[in-house]
Amino acid sequence: MSDFQILPNHGLGWLDASGEHADIVLSTRIRLARNLQGHAFGPRARVNDREAVLEQTRRAMAKVELLAGSRLLELPNLDRRTRGMLLERRLASRELLGDVKEGPSRATAVLLAAQDPLSVMVNEEDHLRLQGLLSGLRLKEAWNLVDRLDEELGQELPYAYHHEFGFLTSCPTNVGSGLRASVLVHLPGLVLTKEIGKVLQGLGQVGLTFRGLYGEGSEVVGNFFQLSNQTTLGKSEEELVDHLDKIIRQVIQYEDQARQVLLRDAPQVTEDKIWRAYGLLRYARSLPFEELMNLLSGIRLGVGLKLLPELRVYTLNKLMIFTQTAHLEQAAGRDLSPGECDAHRAAYVRSILSKEGPATPDSGIEQTDSPTEG
Amino acid sequence: MSDFQILPNHGLGWLDASGEHADIVLSTRIRLARNLQGHAFGPRARVNDREAVLEQTRRAMAKVELLAGSRLLELPNLDRRTRGMLLERRLASRELLGDVKEGPSRATAVLLAAQDPLSVMVNEEDHLRLQGLLSGLRLKEAWNLVDRLDEELGQELPYAYHHEFGFLTSCPTNVGSGLRASVLVHLPGLVLTKEIGKVLQGLGQVGLTFRGLYGEGSEVVGNFFQLSNQTTLGKSEEELVDHLDKIIRQVIQYEDQARQVLLRDAPQVTEDKIWRAYGLLRYARSLPFEELMNLLSGIRLGVGLKLLPELRVYTLNKLMIFTQTAHLEQAAGRDLSPGECDAHRAAYVRSILSKEGPATPDSGIEQTDSPTEG
């Protein structure tokens, strides 16, 4: 029995690709780390600390306007598949999910606001991790939303705060604002032109860091990078958000330039690469997730370059989320072996692209030149 | 100015896939090596020998019933592209075409019978090489046709014949019947199940040899093998043809068995491989010839396994012939750089498959299982 019904749409708001630069910037995320006075933090928190935090959160959420209608999902009560789906939708971290065999720790929970973009992880590395997840490049909007939630929650909960350091956190790197602002960007142009190394190095010099799709410790696949601020101390939240926004816009510019270079210097190779990716997605009978991500990267570049104009960014985003294992198992209504998973993934991609893919696949160069057949 | 109009359809009869086992056996070829008395053979033939042979042939063809309406194309009079097309249609050998820079030698020619399957190379390794090229496995039919041409020509031309050795040829391996019977077979099942080495070794033991698509010295691409008799001495032509026919039918059986093994032991991998090949052919913007041949091998296997039932063998054959360089240049009406050639090849394949490919690309396993999208 699955708990899927408890999160049919949750965390999927960003798929709609409504935000600015949505073809390059998949999503914007703001998270704030908060802890409660009177309870040990992080690894030193004992079960009674954690349970008290969860109970305080439960009571507080009932009083917070922004959380009206929200639900608190306690992870130990959820089945494995639903927990997997929370991870795949980036509403829960690997850490919160706990060890694969042992499952989540007691008193871990995810609070899902009725208002889609907001959620709170309870008893992860910090007592609370407030999160706002929006489509495209919308740092200020996401910040305002999470800031408002933070303010309302802070009126109900005794945040641990130090007059000199700011908000106290489990890990010293988060002390201060407790803010991590991150954007998930797709940089195939910079990767293909081999400029990416230089750009990432430059980001390090201005206080940014990068990660893979699933956050800390995850690998970069399909040219999708999560860029975020590295430091939280010594700057106001607004300054951090503004700084990141400025840098990201620069990265987008570099990516745009790299794409123009591709079109100028290797139009045929680029076009071929994009259409081959489309052809494989359209017809393959088995797709490992990592290959899928690389092929999605190819067609996403095609959409950006207007070579696949009929494909919507929404479709691309959907293909990323619903092709992950827990989502595929959910759709199949049963567990899937890795081989079955690859087959179901391919079947899902085919069915979506046959409905939402380019209708005229044979547009393109040299089309009129087919040999006479005598 | 191209001489294409002189061979619009010639040598393409076998494309129609009308013969027996046409999905596995692409074509049957019978050739007879003949030389004329009174002229030096092969490398020792001087220009006046060669010109005399050509002249004698010209006079003889006018009297031979089977050659009514035929034409004699002198290679030095043809443009490079038309010569290339003769090679690509297997009506002329690389040897007859001569050195790429210097072009064909004087007095080399190809005689094209009005009746499509018959042709004669003049002044190749032997004075005359009579050839019959038919679709599918039709060794006896091809033999009867070429035998009749040989008989009629032999009444007009003084064949060099030795009462003990039989027909004399430039190379001793052809002495006797001067016959080479060969079939072009597609053996992906044996290659994928890694049985091919054993089968080829076995063929060697029963007097058969194998070559690539373009005959002697050419490499095997796309799992297409030309199997032929190795010896010509000591057996009647009928015996040679019967023997080859028997062996080929055995090879076809082995191939069929290997395909059943694939379907039984690796159905998903096989199906995936076939559809991926189709996807790439359907959408790639650049296709090198060797890759094309490998992908064609994939979808030809799919047709054989009834996984691509709507694709006709005729279409597959056509894609092999018209995607070769000279044919592509002919269609484009100009010379093509290698890069342009790959692009034109891909465009041609796309245009044919969009018209003649499967209409319902998304049939297959697991199709009903697409996840709900909430």
Side-chain angles (χ1 to χ4, degrees):
Chain A
M1 164 72 198
S2 159
D3 297 308
F4 179 61
Q5 50 274 22
I6 64 180
L7 61 150
N9 274 316
H10 213 99
L12 298 178
W14 71 270
L15 293 189
D16 70 3
S18 59
E20 207 184 337
H21 293 292
D23 64 323
I24 293 182
V25 183
L26 283 76
S27 61
T28 295
R29 178 155 63 159
I30 297 281
R31 74 107 166 101
L32 290 173
R34 295 291 183 259
N35 289 274
L36 305 190
Q37 295 171 21
H39 301 293
F41 293 5
R44 275 169 301 148
R46 284 154 302 171
V47 170
N48 59 342
D49 288 315
R50 302 162 63 87
E51 283 179 342
V53 165
L54 180 59
E55 193 44 40
Q56 278 182 273
T57 306
R58 192 192 311 278
R59 270 183 275 133
M61 65 183 263
K63 298 182 191 161
V64 168
E65 197 192 331
L66 209 52
L67 293 180
S70 63
R71 279 161 313 148
L72 190 71
L73 307 179
E74 294 186 48
L75 263 62
N77 298 342
L78 301 179
D79 63 17
R80 190 185 53 80
R81 197 178 295 149
T82 305
R83 295 197 306 264
M85 290 171 71
L86 285 171
L87 173 71
E88 290 172 0
R89 294 185 187 187
R90 300 151 72 206
L91 299 168
S93 64
R94 279 191 207 281
E95 184 172 339
L96 193 72
L97 258 57
D99 184 82
V100 174
K101 280 197 181 151
E102 295 181 12
S105 304
R106 270 173 73 175
T108 48
V110 175
L111 191 164
L112 300 178
Q115 191 176 347
D116 181 47
L118 288 173
S119 62
V120 181
M121 285 195 285
V122 182
N123 286 317
E124 203 241 24
E125 184 181 302
D126 293 293
H127 291 157
L128 301 177
R129 290 250 169 139
L130 287 56
Q131 168 174 296
L133 181 63
L134 276 79
S135 163
L137 183 59
R138 286 152 85 183
L139 278 160
K140 278 166 208 174
E141 194 180 333
W143 162 246
N144 288 336
L145 210 55
V146 174
D147 184 37
R148 203 182 126 205
L149 174 62
D150 180 45
E151 216 157 283
E152 294 191 17
L153 259 185
Q155 285 170 4
E156 306 299 331
L157 292 170
Y159 284 162
Y161 186 83
H162 185 277
H163 66 95
E164 197 179 334
F165 300 133
F167 292 101
L168 299 179
T169 54
S170 171
C171 175
T173 59
N174 289 316
V175 164
S177 63
L179 172 82
R180 183 177 288 270
S182 64
V183 289
L184 183 58
V185 290
H186 182 231
L187 305 176
L190 290 170
V191 172
L192 288 169
T193 56
K194 300 192 166 47
E195 298 286 323
I196 189 70
K198 225 164 53 188
V199 170
L200 293 177
Q201 205 181 2
L203 291 178
Q205 286 164 0
V206 293
L208 265 60
T209 185
F210 75 96
R211 300 165 172 194
L213 202 55
Y214 296 108
E216 206 158 342
S218 68
E219 265 181 79
V220 172
V221 290
N223 306 315
F224 295 104
F225 297 80
Q226 276 209 63
L227 306 183
S228 62
N229 63 307
Q230 202 157 23
T231 53
T232 55
L233 205 58
K235 273 189 182 168
S236 78
E237 288 87 339
E238 284 78 6
E239 281 169 346
L240 283 170
V241 166
D242 276 354
H243 179 63
L244 185 63
D245 189 71
K246 216 183 83 195
I247 305 291
I248 296 298
R249 285 174 198 280
Q250 225 161 62
V251 172
I252 293 171
Q253 228 173 58
Y254 293 148
E255 172 64 20
D256 274 336
Q257 284 163 7
R259 293 181 181 192
Q260 292 316 309
V261 168
L262 285 179
L263 279 188
R264 192 192 66 207
D265 295 350
Q268 250 193 317
V269 174
T270 305
E271 198 182 13
D272 186 48
K273 190 182 167 69
I274 288 163
W275 281 105
R276 280 170 180 255
Y278 184 75
L280 289 175
L281 289 170
R282 191 83 170 72
Y283 290 102
R285 259 48 187 172
S286 174
L287 281 173
F289 185 68
E290 190 169 331
E291 182 187 10
L292 168 75
M293 291 298 287
N294 287 325
L295 296 174
L296 282 181
S297 174
I299 62 172
R300 194 172 191 105
L301 175 62
V303 170
L305 294 177
K306 312 256 183 296
L307 292 174
L308 294 170
E310 289 166 71
L311 204 55
R312 288 176 304 156
V313 176
Y314 166 68
T315 300
L316 300 174
N317 290 347
K318 196 166 61 174
L319 288 175
M320 272 178 71
I321 295 304
F322 288 99
T323 52
Q324 296 169 99
T325 305
H327 279 83
L328 291 173
E329 292 188 333
Q330 178 55 41
R334 64 181 176 89
D335 289 352
L336 299 172
S337 70
E340 287 176 322
C341 223
D342 293 349
H344 279 244
R345 182 174 297 118
Y348 176 70
V349 172
R350 288 200 307 282
S351 78
I352 294 297
L353 287 182
S354 73
K355 281 177 268 170
E356 304 178 22
T360 52
D362 297 302
S363 62
I365 53 163
E366 314 271 17
Q367 201 44 43
T368 53
D369 271 325
S370 67
T372 54
E373 290 166 47
Chain B
M1 164 71 198
S2 160
D3 297 308
F4 179 62
Q5 51 274 22
I6 63 180
L7 60 150
N9 275 318
H10 213 99
L12 298 178
W14 70 272
L15 292 190
D16 70 4
S18 58
E20 208 184 336
H21 293 291
D23 65 323
I24 292 182
V25 184
L26 283 75
S27 61
T28 295
R29 177 155 65 161
I30 296 279
R31 74 107 167 98
L32 290 173
R34 296 290 182 260
N35 289 275
L36 305 190
Q37 295 170 22
H39 302 292
F41 294 5
R44 274 169 303 147
R46 282 154 304 172
V47 170
N48 58 343
D49 288 316
R50 303 161 62 86
E51 284 180 342
V53 165
L54 181 59
E55 192 45 39
Q56 280 182 272
T57 306
R58 193 192 310 277
R59 270 183 275 133
M61 65 182 263
K63 299 183 190 160
V64 168
E65 196 190 332
L66 209 51
L67 294 180
S70 63
R71 279 162 312 149
L72 189 70
L73 306 180
E74 294 186 47
L75 262 62
N77 298 342
L78 301 178
D79 63 16
R80 191 185 52 80
R81 197 178 294 149
T82 305
R83 294 197 305 265
M85 291 171 71
L86 285 172
L87 173 71
E88 292 171 359
R89 295 185 186 187
R90 301 151 70 206
L91 298 168
S93 63
R94 279 192 207 281
E95 185 173 337
L96 192 72
L97 257 56
D99 184 82
V100 175
K101 279 198 182 152
E102 295 181 14
S105 304
R106 271 174 71 176
T108 48
V110 174
L111 191 164
L112 300 178
Q115 191 174 347
D116 180 46
L118 289 173
S119 63
V120 181
M121 284 194 286
V122 182
N123 286 318
E124 204 241 24
E125 185 181 305
D126 294 292
H127 292 157
L128 301 176
R129 290 249 169 141
L130 287 55
Q131 169 174 296
L133 181 63
L134 276 79
S135 163
L137 182 59
R138 287 153 85 182
L139 277 160
K140 279 167 208 174
E141 194 180 333
W143 161 246
N144 288 336
L145 209 56
V146 175
D147 184 37
R148 203 181 127 206
L149 174 61
D150 181 45
E151 215 156 284
E152 294 192 17
L153 259 184
Q155 285 169 5
E156 306 298 332
L157 292 170
Y159 284 163
Y161 186 85
H162 185 278
H163 65 95
E164 196 178 335
F165 300 133
F167 291 101
L168 299 179
T169 53
S170 171
C171 175
T173 58
N174 290 317
V175 164
S177 63
L179 172 82
R180 182 177 288 272
S182 64
V183 289
L184 182 59
V185 290
H186 182 231
L187 306 176
L190 291 170
V191 172
L192 288 170
T193 56
K194 301 191 166 48
E195 299 286 323
I196 190 71
K198 223 162 56 187
V199 171
L200 293 177
Q201 204 180 3
L203 291 178
Q205 286 164 1
V206 293
L208 266 59
T209 185
F210 75 96
R211 299 167 171 192
L213 202 55
Y214 295 107
E216 206 159 344
S218 68
E219 265 182 79
V220 172
V221 290
N223 306 315
F224 296 104
F225 296 81
Q226 277 210 61
L227 306 183
S228 61
N229 63 308
Q230 202 155 24
T231 54
T232 55
L233 205 58
K235 273 188 183 170
S236 78
E237 289 86 339
E238 284 78 5
E239 281 169 344
L240 282 171
V241 166
D242 276 352
H243 179 63
L244 185 63
D245 189 71
K246 215 182 84 196
I247 304 291
I248 296 297
R249 286 176 196 280
Q250 225 161 60
V251 171
I252 293 172
Q253 227 173 58
Y254 293 147
E255 171 65 19
D256 275 336
Q257 283 163 6
R259 292 182 182 193
Q260 292 316 308
V261 168
L262 285 179
L263 278 189
R264 192 191 65 207
D265 296 349
Q268 249 192 318
V269 174
T270 305
E271 197 182 13
D272 186 48
K273 191 182 166 68
I274 288 163
W275 280 105
R276 280 170 181 256
Y278 184 74
L280 289 175
L281 289 170
R282 190 84 170 71
Y283 290 103
R285 259 50 188 171
S286 175
L287 281 173
F289 186 69
E290 190 170 331
E291 182 188 11
L292 169 75
M293 291 298 287
N294 287 325
L295 296 174
L296 282 181
S297 173
I299 62 172
R300 195 172 191 106
L301 175 61
V303 170
L305 294 177
K306 311 256 183 296
L307 293 174
L308 294 170
E310 289 165 71
L311 204 55
R312 289 174 306 156
V313 175
Y314 166 67
T315 300
L316 300 174
N317 290 348
K318 197 167 60 173
L319 288 176
M320 272 178 71
I321 295 305
F322 288 98
T323 52
Q324 297 170 97
T325 305
H327 279 82
L328 291 174
E329 291 188 334
Q330 177 55 40
R334 63 180 176 91
D335 289 353
L336 299 171
S337 70
E340 287 176 323
C341 223
D342 293 348
H344 279 244
R345 182 174 297 119
Y348 176 71
V349 172
R350 288 200 307 282
S351 79
I352 294 296
L353 287 183
S354 73
K355 281 177 268 170
E356 304 179 21
T360 52
D362 298 301
S363 62
I365 52 164
E366 314 273 15
Q367 201 44 44
T368 52
D369 272 327
S370 68
T372 55
E373 289 165 47

